[in-house]
Amino acid sequence: MAASISGIGIGLGLSCSSNLSKSLHSSQSSGFRVKMTVSVEDKKKNYTLQKSEEAFNAAKNLMPGGVNSPVRAFKSVGGQPIVIDSVKGSHMWDIDGNEYIDYVGSWGPAIIGHADDEVLAALAETMKKGTSFGAPCLLENVLAEMVISAVPSIEMVRFVNSGTEACMGVLRLARAFTGREKIIKFEGCYHGHADPFLVKAGSGVATLGLPDSPGVPRAATFETLTAPYNDILAVKNLFNSNKGELAAVILEPVVGNSGFIPPKPDFLEALQRLTKENGTLLIFDEVMTGFRLSYGGAQEYFGITPDLTTLGKIIGGGLPVGAYGGRREIMEMVAPAGPMYQAGTLSGNPLAMTAGIQTLKRLKEPGTYEYLDKITGQLVQGILDAGKKTGHAICGGYINGMFGFFFTEGPVYNFDDAKKSDTAKFARFYRGMLEEGVYLAPSQFEAGFTSLAHTQEDIQMTIAAAEKVLSKI
């Protein structure tokens, strides 16, 4: 049985089985292609991960679990984690010499492609002046102006070094501004690993099967209330039972850390109305969606302006970065303008600012998001068609450069729906796709990402690989 969600705006596709609730748009794709031809002989060579296995076994004696971020350990998909040697455009190579079409994109930042020549050239020039000043630099002004002009909610911005740090700062700011402590977050939404957010957090926590994390004191999460994503009635009930106590509602406007889950029609608008009526701040965590769904992020795409926004990933062009911003009256509470303290040694460092500036310049070029819409739509439709053809329950969707699919009939509206997916099947699919030269996120509960460097050849090779693997599992 096929089901679909529609009416969420032009450019959104979400479907189950083979129906995709939008037509594919034509786009100007010239100027966005990075030719990465892969010969048939190369693809047919024996697939081995011997060097990756040796390196990973050594890493396990040096770092917890052998990695510096849990999802990289392949716990939810099994098999040998791959150790990457290099990346370029839409492709990556591991230390065994295997080549992959990449749909992780460093978890989102590589929207113009890996190791872009213009970004690398700009970084080389900046490095001649130094890598970190620990003092103001003009590049901070340039990127700040670009972010403020692009993102509807942001009148002032503070740069930090990660999405986690951005969410930590914005939460403290919301509490300082409102004089309240309680917040609402949504089940399956991930806002970094700070203590107050590790409650039904999705992403790596879900991948490891942990409800939250040991070491988080009850007091740190006592003021964190949760509701199912897309359930406005549950949110209303929380407001009614906590009148005058809620500092903020924070959410991923499109969930990426439970897999790809878009909002139902009017969900974001209803949240905006509720927060305004109750003197509560609405926070969009756009670490994933910022500059990916549109140049102005999800808030521009859906036409809903929050009070505060967090950003990361893309605005650093592949270097460590994060940011939070919003209305001037709120942001002027941040030190040294105001009493809410937050600081960082490497915040606004010249390298991250340079990479971000060059990336945003490219994204502003005509046809950018039309191209992302076209190739991502073709990719998702092709995978869903392959799933139906080979007899699998599968559903999925996309918005421009962000996508996902689940091994369940669907539809998927929230984390509980996502957990109905056949994760064992996804694991088999994942390992099969690796052998076919396609690198996806190693978890059913993560979104995928396309880039301007992905070509029609990449998309068609991926669809062919998916059909081949799906026919075997």
Side-chain angles (χ1 to χ4, degrees):
M1 174 178 159
S4 66
I5 303 171
S6 59
I8 308 182
I10 296 173
L12 165 66
L14 183 77
S15 75
C16 301
S17 294
S18 63
N19 297 326
L20 202 60
S21 58
K22 62 166 285 176
S23 59
L24 300 178
H25 302 300
S26 61
S27 69
Q28 299 175 355
S29 60
S30 60
F32 297 131
R33 294 175 178 270
V34 177
K35 190 65 175 176
M36 304 293 290
T37 303
V38 182
S39 70
V40 174
E41 288 80 7
D42 288 342
K43 281 294 181 186
K44 286 184 176 179
K45 72 179 183 180
N46 291 332
Y47 184 75
T48 178
L49 293 175
Q50 181 180 346
K51 292 181 180 178
S52 284
E53 184 175 2
E54 292 170 355
F56 187 68
N57 285 337
K60 286 188 286 188
N61 290 319
L62 304 170
M63 296 170 283
V67 295
N68 284 305
S69 191
V71 74
R72 302 175 191 175
F74 281 30
K75 291 288 188 180
S76 68
V77 293
Q80 174 60 49
I82 62 174
V83 178
I84 301 302
D85 179 64
S86 65
V87 291
K88 186 68 176 177
S90 59
H91 287 230
M92 59 199 308
W93 291 262
D94 66 25
I95 60 175
D96 287 279
N98 301 305
E99 182 174 356
Y100 306 90
I101 303 169
D102 177 28
Y103 293 102
V104 178
S106 191
W107 301 95
I111 192 169
I112 65 173
H114 290 293
D116 178 79
D117 290 341
E118 292 178 14
V119 174
L120 293 180
L123 285 171
E125 287 301 309
T126 298
M127 280 192 289
K128 293 176 183 178
K129 299 180 179 181
T131 58
S132 177
F133 303 151
C137 69
L138 187 59
L139 293 168
E140 294 172 278
N141 291 21
V142 176
L143 185 57
E145 288 175 354
M146 295 177 79
V147 169
I148 290 167
S149 67
V151 183
S153 66
I154 297 182
E155 296 175 354
M156 298 186 83
V157 65
R158 166 61 61 90
F159 291 115
V160 292
N161 297 291
S162 69
T164 288
E165 194 179 344
C167 290
M168 290 169 60
V170 84
L171 174 58
R172 185 180 301 162
L173 176 58
R175 286 171 164 167
F177 183 78
T178 61
R180 304 170 179 177
E181 294 188 3
K182 292 184 179 181
I183 63 167
I184 296 175
K185 73 173 291 291
F186 292 88
E187 297 167 9
C189 284
Y190 178 73
H191 306 293
H193 58 80
D195 286 0
F197 297 121
L198 286 180
V199 180
K200 299 183 179 179
S203 189
V205 177
T207 295
L208 292 175
L210 302 175
D212 35 43
S213 175
V216 176
R218 183 175 182 273
T221 59
F222 183 73
E223 307 291 359
T224 302
L225 311 177
T226 62
Y229 183 77
N230 271 324
D231 188 341
I232 198 63
L233 180 59
V235 180
K236 288 180 180 178
N237 289 338
L238 288 174
F239 269 95
N240 289 335
S241 59
N242 296 274
K243 285 188 178 296
E245 298 182 87
L246 291 167
V249 174
I250 185 169
L251 76 157
E252 297 177 87
V254 173
V255 182
N257 284 287
S258 299
F260 175 87
I261 308 175
K264 289 182 179 179
D266 302 326
F267 177 64
L268 299 180
E269 185 178 358
L271 287 178
Q272 184 182 53
R273 185 168 57 251
L274 267 176
T275 51
K276 283 186 176 180
E277 289 172 353
N278 289 275
T280 299
L281 298 181
L282 179 61
I283 305 171
F284 278 8
D285 179 350
E286 296 227 44
V287 170
M288 273 195 186
T289 58
F291 293 93
R292 180 164 284 281
L293 303 193
S294 71
Y295 192 71
Q299 56 197 264
E300 179 186 66
Y301 182 85
F302 291 110
I304 303 293
T305 302
D307 299 294
L308 292 166
T309 299
T310 60
L311 297 168
K313 300 185 185 291
I314 287 173
I315 64 165
L319 276 71
V321 77
Y324 61 97
R327 298 204 316 266
R328 182 175 297 273
E329 63 173 317
I330 305 175
M331 292 300 296
E332 284 181 340
M333 287 205 71
V334 179
M340 197 288 291
Y341 190 75
Q342 180 269 314
T345 298
L346 295 174
S347 297
N349 77 83
L351 296 184
M353 299 297 100
T354 295
I357 290 165
Q358 294 301 317
T359 298
L360 297 196
K361 282 181 180 178
R362 289 282 298 282
L363 292 177
K364 205 170 183 180
E365 293 177 3
T368 292
Y369 294 95
E370 290 83 357
Y371 183 71
L372 290 172
D373 175 74
K374 178 182 178 180
I375 62 168
T376 315
Q378 291 173 342
L379 174 69
V380 172
Q381 184 68 73
I383 292 173
L384 296 182
D385 286 348
K388 180 181 179 182
K389 182 178 178 180
T390 52
H392 295 282
I394 188 170
C395 66
Y398 74 102
I399 302 176
N400 290 333
M402 183 175 177
F403 71 92
F405 55 90
F406 299 93
F407 282 108
T408 181
E409 286 289 350
V412 173
Y413 294 113
N414 53 45
F415 190 36
D416 280 343
D417 290 339
K419 288 189 291 186
K420 297 173 185 175
S421 297
D422 188 337
T423 54
K425 181 180 288 186
F426 176 83
R428 295 194 299 274
F429 176 73
Y430 181 83
R431 295 193 299 270
M433 291 296 278
L434 272 185
E435 293 193 22
E436 293 299 318
V438 177
Y439 185 71
L440 301 167
S443 169
Q444 173 72 95
F445 304 115
E446 293 283 1
F449 305 104
T450 52
S451 75
L452 297 178
H454 283 89
T455 66
Q456 288 290 334
E457 182 182 16
D458 290 330
I459 302 302
Q460 295 309 314
M461 288 178 65
T462 303
I463 293 169
E467 184 169 341
K468 179 178 179 180
V469 173
L470 288 166
S471 68
K472 295 179 178 179
I473 62 174

